[in-house]
Amino acid sequence: MNNGDYCQLVDQPWQCKMIALVCALLLAVGSHFAAHTLGAMKNTVKTEFGITNSQYGVIQSTVSIVNTVLPVIGGLFVDAFGTIPGSVITTVLITSGNILVAISTSYASLPTMIAGRILYGIGSGTVVIVQETILSQWFKGRSLAAVMALMLTVSRLASFLAQATVVPIANWTGWYGYGFWFSALLCIISFLFNLVYIALIRRVDLASSTCKRQVKAIERKKSFSWHKLMFLPHSFWLVWAMEFLLGGSWGCFLHINSEFVKFRFGYSNAHAAATASTAQILPVILMPFLGICLDKYGKRTWMMIGSGVCMLVSLLMLEFSDIAPVVGMLIFSISLSLGPVGLVSSVPIMLPLSLVGTGMGLIKSGTNIGASLFDITTGLLQDRDPHKGYSGVILFFIGIASLAILAGVTLCILDYTIYNRLLDRSAREALLEDENKLSNPGQMKELKANWFYGGMFLALAATSWMLFAKFMLL
């Protein structure tokens, strides 16, 4: 990639960059809010729609199931056609999908809700890729790391507010459906900010012929060869496995933790939702600082292991102790802070630039494969429980967290013995020593094991689709 492809926007006046930053951050606020609206009102939705826990799991998995493959396709689409078409399509899908979900609450129409969730899922799977692409065009270096951390912070803040406010909105208005309509309104606002960004790009485009030529450079098509996937290192697939385990279970747990608190500790709907929302509060505070620590000290594999340990401790505490659930939720939120920072930042370190986009797409697909499998599995486990409780579900998550810790320890050992401490190196060390051999495509080796890894990826994706289809038809 030439610097000429990106210098046009990073050199724009700070006023334009701030407008672009605000628009990029708010582009997905509606999407992140909508992601946790349903989970906060799980018990109410099951009652109003007359559905089982398995059917609720299908509703939740509709978002993740379509994103088992879409992140890879979406990344290629954004590379090929640019961020403007990508942002318009994603925000339209997100907005229309959540309007359908809100409409479904008026008629308790399960097919309408599922259709809306599918549209929303198609858009939400690509909107983060669009965000990351926009930010990478306007910022570089440490400023890029800072705005990426800010993006993660805003997304977690929106998710936290969804769990904390949806039930109070329903109680205040007297009807649970208004919580979903509020979510749809936020999606409309995100769409309007997307229009502001498009107007900004048009203004920048017209202001300078040089910028016009360079913006076109961003939007031109890029070549891709599937054979490049054969050069993915073993370490990448260990990160993928951790994202599958941790990323999938994080989202699934956040979909059910409100009802879990209600059942396990006897809280009211509002009290349970408020307590459950604390599972997302610490990332809002910690992620910017973790980004700075990562830049200065590295230690990515230790962050991953720490994330798995915190998740395991929180689950053990919630299930086997009578300590106030807010403590377990806060420990879970530490896992939710450490894991994404360590996992996402590892991909550009391991892979050459020509594979980073595809690598990120595979990572996001892994998250959604895990989420779709875990959403359906937890619904089945709860339905098979004699009291429709969560004992089997929490034991399942304990097993997942244990596997994630094992994968993290294995990755740490490989990083120190084979990859010369690549993932645990600080940004300064990597820059000064220039020993990031995996980032040099000429030094990467083709691995036959990628046929096995790719086969496992496809098998897990196919399993998630088969389970979804099976319970969709029930």
Side-chain angles (χ1 to χ4, degrees):
M1 180 181 297
N2 297 322
N3 290 333
D5 284 350
Y6 285 83
C7 66
Q8 68 292 334
L9 295 179
V10 298
D11 294 330
Q12 291 300 307
W14 69 268
Q15 295 93 333
C16 292
K17 295 178 77 169
M18 288 304 100
I19 295 173
L21 175 61
V22 171
C23 291
L25 293 177
L26 297 181
L27 190 68
V29 163
S31 175
H32 292 304
F33 191 94
H36 296 279
T37 304
L38 191 64
M41 293 199 288
K42 176 181 177 180
N43 195 55
T44 303
V45 169
K46 287 194 303 178
T47 302
E48 294 290 335
F49 280 72
I51 58 177
T52 65
N53 291 296
S54 297
Q55 288 173 308
Y56 172 83
V58 169
I59 295 175
Q60 283 288 17
S61 66
T62 51
V63 174
S64 53
I65 195 71
V66 296
N67 287 309
T68 54
V69 292
L70 275 180
V72 179
I73 298 172
L76 294 174
F77 178 89
V78 172
D79 278 346
F81 299 104
T83 54
I84 291 178
S87 64
V88 170
I89 292 173
T90 55
T91 50
V92 166
L93 286 169
I94 290 168
T95 303
S96 58
N98 279 286
I99 289 174
L100 277 179
V101 170
I103 291 173
S104 73
T105 60
S106 298
Y107 307 99
S109 173
L110 185 60
T112 303
M113 176 170 277
I114 290 176
R117 294 282 293 178
I118 289 175
L119 289 177
Y120 160 65
I122 295 172
S124 65
T126 308
V127 71
V128 176
I129 296 174
V130 173
Q131 275 186 298
E132 291 170 350
T133 305
I134 290 174
L135 292 176
S136 67
Q137 291 170 357
W138 286 86
F139 300 91
K140 64 180 179 180
R142 291 191 174 181
S143 62
L144 177 60
V147 296
M148 286 291 188
L150 185 59
M151 181 190 75
L152 291 172
T153 300
V154 171
S155 70
R156 283 299 163 197
L157 179 60
S159 300
F160 163 73
L161 290 175
Q163 281 196 307
T165 62
V166 169
V167 174
I169 289 172
N171 292 339
W172 179 62
T173 58
W175 181 50
Y176 80 103
Y178 284 124
F180 290 96
W181 277 111
F182 181 75
S183 177
L185 175 63
L186 288 180
C187 293
I188 293 172
I189 292 173
S190 292
F191 174 74
L192 294 177
F193 272 98
N194 184 42
L195 297 182
V196 173
Y197 177 74
I198 293 173
L200 173 67
I201 285 292
R202 296 300 182 214
R203 176 183 175 276
V204 170
D205 197 8
L206 294 173
S208 165
S209 60
T210 301
C211 190
K212 182 175 182 178
R213 182 178 67 255
Q214 292 169 330
V215 168
K216 294 299 181 184
I218 292 176
E219 297 176 348
R220 70 172 180 262
K221 291 187 177 182
K222 300 174 177 64
S223 61
F224 178 79
S225 171
W226 290 105
H227 185 67
K228 291 180 181 179
L229 297 178
M230 295 300 296
F231 291 87
L232 292 172
H234 298 293
S235 56
F236 170 81
W237 290 105
L238 277 170
V239 171
W240 185 92
M242 292 198 69
E243 187 68 39
F244 167 78
L245 295 167
L246 288 176
S249 56
W250 286 329
C252 182
F253 180 76
L254 292 173
H255 292 159
I256 56 103
N257 66 338
S258 180
E259 189 184 56
F260 165 74
V261 170
K262 177 183 178 179
F263 282 12
R264 173 74 172 79
F265 297 93
Y267 287 7
S268 66
N269 284 335
H271 192 186
T275 301
S277 68
T278 58
Q280 302 196 67
I281 188 61
L282 287 184
V284 177
I285 303 169
L286 293 179
M287 276 185 170
F289 296 101
L290 288 173
I292 295 172
C293 292
L294 198 68
D295 179 68
K296 189 173 182 179
Y297 302 109
K299 307 301 180 185
R300 292 170 182 83
T301 59
W302 291 101
M303 282 189 178
M304 299 177 204
I305 296 170
S307 178
V309 170
C310 287
M311 181 177 175
L312 179 61
V313 170
S314 70
L315 294 169
L316 292 171
M317 185 177 294
L318 288 167
E319 179 63 18
F320 298 110
S321 79
D322 293 324
I323 298 173
V326 67
V327 178
M329 293 298 172
L330 287 173
I331 295 175
F332 182 89
S333 71
I334 297 175
S335 171
L336 205 56
S337 303
L338 292 171
V341 174
L343 289 165
V344 173
S345 66
S346 296
V347 176
I349 297 293
M350 291 185 293
L351 302 180
L353 194 58
S354 59
L355 275 175
V356 168
T358 304
M360 290 298 295
L362 286 168
I363 292 290
K364 293 179 188 297
S365 292
T367 303
N368 288 295
I369 291 172
S372 60
L373 286 172
F374 300 160
D375 275 330
I376 295 173
T377 301
T378 54
L380 285 171
L381 290 172
Q382 191 179 2
D383 279 337
R384 290 180 179 178
D385 188 282
H387 306 289
K388 305 298 181 185
Y390 279 94
S391 295
V393 173
I394 299 301
L395 289 175
F396 172 74
F397 280 135
I398 288 172
I400 293 296
S402 301
L403 288 175
I405 294 170
L406 179 62
V409 171
T410 304
L411 178 62
C412 184
I413 293 171
L414 287 178
D415 187 51
Y416 275 77
T417 57
I418 298 178
Y419 298 117
N420 194 24
R421 210 172 57 85
L422 178 62
L423 293 178
D424 277 356
R425 189 176 302 162
S426 70
R428 293 178 182 178
E429 288 177 318
L431 181 63
L432 291 174
E433 298 178 21
D434 194 25
E435 292 178 358
N436 187 349
K437 297 182 179 180
L438 289 180
S439 292
N440 184 347
Q443 295 184 6
M444 293 186 69
K445 297 179 180 180
E446 183 175 352
L447 296 178
K448 297 298 183 183
N450 278 313
W451 286 107
F452 171 76
Y453 298 140
M456 290 296 295
F457 170 83
L458 293 175
L460 288 169
T463 302
S464 66
W465 276 94
M466 286 188 291
L467 283 174
F468 176 78
K470 176 182 177 181
F471 289 100
M472 184 77 171
L473 297 174
L474 288 180

